[in-house]
C-alpha cells in the first residue's frame, strides 16, 4: 500500500520520488532532466545528474528527504553520461 507522505530517496543509482498525485508537481517533475514515471513501482525516478535540482525542488515542496540524499555530493567533473553506483552497504562507488 502506498503512503500519502512525500518522500525523496536513493535506490542504487537512481533518485526516487514517491508522492500522491498532484497535477502541478507532476508537470514540474516532467521538466527535470531525465525524470521518468516508473509504471511498475508507481514512482517518479530521476538520474543522479539532476541531484541538485531535484533536491532543491523536493525541499521547496515539503518532501521528506532521506539523509543519504541530503549528504550525497557528486564529483563536479563527472560527465553527464557517466553512471554513479551506490552499493547496498551505503558506500559510493564511481565509474569514470
Amino acid at each position: 500500500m502506498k503512503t500519502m507522505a512525500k518522500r525523496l530517496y536513493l535506490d542504487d543509482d537512481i533518485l526516487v520520488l514517491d508522492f500522491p498525485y498532484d497535477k502541478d508537481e507532476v508537470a514540474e517533475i516532467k521538466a527535470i532532466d531525465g525524470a521518468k514515471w516508473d509504471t511498475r513501482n508507481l514512482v517518479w525516478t530521476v538520474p543522479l545528474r539532476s541531484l541538485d535540482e531535484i533536491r532543491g525542488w523536493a525541499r521547496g515542496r515539503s518532501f521528506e528527504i532521506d539523509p543519504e540524499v541530503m549528504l550525497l555530493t557528486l564529483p563536479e567533473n563527472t560527465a553527464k553520461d557517466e553512471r554513479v553506483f551506490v552499493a547496498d552497504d551505503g558506500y559510493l562507488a564511481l565509474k569514470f
Side-chain angles (χ1 to χ4, degrees), residues 19-33:
F19 60 98
Y21 178 78
D22 177 293
K23 69 177 183 161
D24 295 329
E25 288 180 349
V26 168
E28 292 169 357
I29 286 287
K30 287 180 179 180
I32 294 175
D33 183 32

Side-chain angles (χ1 to χ4, degrees), residues 35-69:
K36 294 181 184 167
W37 174 246
D38 179 339
T39 57
R40 182 175 181 193
N41 297 307
L42 304 177
V43 294
W44 282 92
T45 61
V46 179
L48 284 177
R49 69 176 178 260
S50 298
L51 174 65
D52 291 334
E53 183 178 7
I54 199 64
R55 199 165 33 196
W57 181 88
R59 228 180 289 141
R61 283 148 194 85
S62 302
F63 273 66
E64 174 189 333
I65 303 174
D66 282 12
E68 68 180 346
V69 174

